[in-house]
Amino acid sequence: MPKTKTTFFCQNCGAQHAQWIGQCPNCKQWNTVVEEVIQKEEKRNWKTPSNTQKVVSKPRRIQEIELNTEERIITRNNELDVVLGGGLVKGSITLLGGEPGIGKSTLLLQVALQIPQKVLYVSGEESQSQIKMRAERLQNEDSNCLILTETNTQQIFRNVEEVQPDVLVIDSIQTLYTNNIEASPGSISQIKETSAELIKFAKETNTPVLLIGHINKDGNIAGPKILEHMVDVVLQFEGDRNHTYRILRSQKNRFGSTAELGIYEMLSDGLREVKNPSEILISEKDTDLSGTAIASTLEGVRPLMIEIQALVSTAVYGTPQRSTTGYNLKRLHMILAVLEKRAGFKLGAKDVFLNVTGGIYIDDPAIDLAVVAAILSSNQDIAINPDVCFAAEVGLAGEIRPVSKIDQRIVEAEKLGYKTFVTSKYNKITSKNHSIKLILVGKIEDAFATLFA
Ligand code: TYD
Ligand code: MG
């Protein structure tokens, strides 16, 4: 047994004293000094576990740990199943975030009505008849779904005990409150406490829980950031409220890849799964214009397809003009120099204007190749096939360099209906079985040969 030693600390300022005193000489506060036990410092005391404590956890060699594959519930909503990595994992907590009115409640109600297992759909936002009205629109007669309108977690768990559902849906976490703490629903401490209760419930009963979360004006899920750390899966439902397409992305998934995404269309009778995303592209593109190319870029961790436009024309004044919106001007100068020196395009006497559409600024170097393609397309006046997209960095030697998160970019492009993906041959592509055609190039000359052949 190591010798124990006590000492006296002021709880106000933390000063240490050899004995108890009524007033702390350091901060002059009265009655703040208390006695605390500190262990006598021994040099190697971490090596000798105190014999009063029994060892319960034990490290094991990784080879000895048996792998038990998670059991999953197939939701029958194919897009959601794919984004989840093959269905809902039993005992998992999934958080679905999104703007108001984007369709979170519609999606989860639709899923709740589709799942063959017993589902308890708890809503703190709408009345039972409102939910019934919504369900009517979704047209799903024979389903195993029970509706509860409740916001108190103790009441919810009492009902859960009675119903014994296979899946629990909560709409939304911000409306819940627990009797265990005083704070009002939607406050940080209520969100933390109620989600901790739900997580405990999910893990103990092996029931998957789907939570809807509101987002604040920055687009993050309202409430403590810790909520996103606590749950197993974070999904984001996004889209423009004035358009009908919705995208379901996974921001975090402990049981699958975050590269997958699901696409839906909001119709008057609910969300339709979009199996062939090229319909989105084709409807928006009907003419072939020269000078545009599609780049696959990353916004944070998410892949995003953007259009690059270039205009190359003969300079009317002595010094040619170069101007960019949404792209670094110095980088454009570098790309023009590379094209001149390595590929023999005489752009020195031409005006070059470059525009990233959508009003965003991109500094992901992966859009370089699309910039090159747009410039050459405008220069040669040959349109690039609208279902081709690009992702690669261009180096000073005219080499086409690899980019980060290439698998995610490919999956996104494929999902959005692109047919051809041009990238560097030095990328380490791990995902297989793409229906999208990959064109792998090593030098800037190879890229043109394939594009303008
Ligand atoms: P909702 O699921 O209530 O959004 P959230 O829960 O994310 O706030 O979706 C509401 C919108 O969806 C509403 O503006 C109407 C529209 N909608 C349809 O277009 N078709 C439908 O079948 C349903 C149920 C809703
Ligand atoms: Mg809602």
Side-chain angles (χ1 to χ4, degrees):
M1 274 295 273
K3 259 191 229 159
T4 56
K5 181 184 156 192
T6 63
T7 188
F8 297 84
F9 289 99
C10 168
Q11 289 196 301
N12 185 48
C13 66
Q16 191 177 349
H17 307 288
Q19 73 216 16
W20 190 85
I21 28 179
Q23 186 190 26
C24 172
N26 192 38
C27 65
K28 309 281 185 286
Q29 290 289 314
W30 286 95
N31 264 333
T32 56
V33 175
V34 291
E35 184 178 18
E36 282 183 23
V37 176
I38 56 164
Q39 203 161 43
K40 188 167 179 264
E41 272 186 37
E42 279 182 273
K43 271 208 180 117
R44 293 193 196 147
N45 63 354
W46 64 272
K47 270 192 173 176
T48 46
S50 94
N51 43 15
T52 54
Q53 208 180 354
K54 223 174 77 204
V55 179
V56 268
S57 49
K58 228 167 134 186
R60 281 196 289 171
R61 284 164 66 91
I62 194 143
Q63 297 91 324
E64 292 165 11
I65 299 171
E66 58 283 345
L67 186 76
N68 36 2
T69 44
E70 323 90 10
E71 264 187 276
R72 294 190 186 243
I73 292 180
I74 305 299
T75 67
R76 289 202 187 164
N77 188 307
N78 193 33
E79 299 286 299
L80 178 67
D81 282 338
V82 167
V83 172
L84 289 171
L88 264 181
V89 174
K90 288 207 173 157
S92 70
I93 284 257
T94 304
L95 180 63
L96 172 70
E99 303 241 335
I102 208 75
K104 302 179 293 298
S105 308
T106 309
L107 176 66
L108 290 195
L109 183 62
Q110 205 165 327
V111 168
L113 296 174
Q114 273 177 352
I115 299 183
Q117 282 88 344
K118 194 194 273 180
V119 185
L120 181 61
Y121 184 99
V122 182
S123 178
E125 309 220 324
E126 285 155 289
S127 67
Q128 291 190 334
S129 61
Q130 269 177 306
I131 298 171
K132 170 75 182 169
M133 259 158 56
R134 192 194 289 264
E136 296 268 86
R137 293 174 74 178
L138 304 176
Q139 290 158 353
N140 209 320
E141 306 304 319
D142 48 298
S143 101
N144 233 339
C145 176
L146 293 163
I147 308 288
L148 172 72
T149 47
E150 183 55 68
T151 52
N152 179 273
T153 52
Q154 278 74 26
Q155 287 293 331
I156 293 174
F157 288 128
R158 199 160 297 164
N159 280 294
V160 162
E161 255 169 53
E162 212 166 278
V163 174
Q164 302 274 342
D166 298 308
V167 180
L168 179 65
V169 179
I170 305 279
D171 184 5
S172 62
I173 185 72
Q174 278 85 6
T175 57
L176 294 191
Y177 73 96
T178 167
N179 292 341
N180 296 340
I181 57 172
E182 285 288 311
S184 58
S187 64
I188 304 267
S189 44
Q190 278 293 5
I191 293 177
K192 223 157 130 182
E193 195 60 33
T194 49
S195 42
E197 284 178 11
L198 286 165
I199 290 170
K200 207 153 162 259
F201 160 76
K203 303 292 166 202
E204 278 173 12
T205 60
N206 215 17
T207 312
V209 178
L210 287 160
L211 291 177
I212 289 180
H214 294 168
I215 63 171
N216 57 26
K217 60 176 190 296
D218 313 322
N220 299 316
I221 290 165
K225 192 77 189 160
I226 197 166
L227 183 58
E228 285 163 65
H229 290 291
M230 282 155 72
V231 300
D232 299 310
V233 182
V234 179
L235 303 180
Q236 193 80 27
F237 204 37
E238 51 193 54
D240 187 339
R241 231 181 312 167
N242 303 320
H243 291 86
T244 55
Y245 290 103
R246 303 280 183 271
I247 294 183
L248 183 69
R249 293 175 196 273
S250 128
Q251 286 186 341
K252 160 181 175 180
N253 192 347
R254 288 188 179 148
F255 317 107
S257 135
T258 50
E260 299 291 352
L261 74 157
I263 300 180
Y264 295 91
E265 185 178 8
M266 180 64 100
L267 300 175
S268 59
D269 58 348
L271 289 158
R272 180 180 71 90
E273 297 175 40
V274 177
K275 302 248 159 61
N276 175 18
S278 59
E279 61 188 72
I280 305 177
L281 271 179
I282 288 162
S283 60
E284 288 171 4
K285 281 226 168 22
D286 38 6
T287 48
D288 286 352
L289 299 171
S290 69
T292 69
I294 306 292
S296 159
T297 175
L298 286 182
E299 186 212 356
V301 293
R302 302 186 200 144
L304 180 77
M305 309 307 274
I306 50 157
E307 192 176 319
I308 311 280
Q309 293 185 322
L311 178 68
V312 179
S313 64
T314 311
V316 257
Y317 306 112
T319 23
Q321 296 186 62
R322 271 85 217 263
S323 108
T324 60
T325 6
Y327 189 70
N328 188 336
L329 184 61
K330 285 198 181 131
R331 201 151 179 98
L332 175 68
H333 285 305
M334 183 214 94
I335 287 196
L336 293 175
V338 170
L339 282 175
E340 184 114 24
K341 172 106 182 168
R342 306 284 167 196
F345 287 95
K346 300 282 172 248
L347 298 167
K350 301 274 177 86
D351 286 340
V352 180
F353 303 98
L354 192 83
N355 186 15
V356 175
T357 56
I360 38 176
Y361 186 90
I362 306 286
D363 43 28
D364 180 6
I367 72 170
D368 286 356
L369 190 57
V371 169
V372 167
I375 291 172
L376 294 181
S377 162
S378 175
N379 191 45
Q380 315 288 92
D381 202 19
I382 304 173
I384 295 172
N385 201 335
D387 55 23
V388 179
C389 69
F390 302 86
E393 184 180 340
V394 175
L396 286 181
E399 81 277 23
I400 307 291
R401 307 174 62 123
V403 294
S404 61
K405 300 220 166 82
I406 186 69
D407 292 310
Q408 250 163 293
R409 297 183 203 244
I410 293 173
V411 171
E412 173 103 1
E414 183 171 3
K415 269 249 147 179
L416 291 176
Y418 291 90
K419 300 280 189 319
T420 311
F421 192 95
V422 187
T423 185
S424 162
K425 67 176 177 191
Y426 305 112
N427 277 308
K428 297 203 170 48
I429 301 172
T430 50
S431 56
K432 296 264 156 21
N433 301 328
H434 302 291
S435 64
I436 195 167
K437 184 177 158 209
L438 293 180
I439 297 184
L440 302 176
V441 287
K443 281 184 300 192
I444 210 160
E445 300 92 297
D446 307 347
F448 313 137
T450 51
L451 273 179
F452 303 113

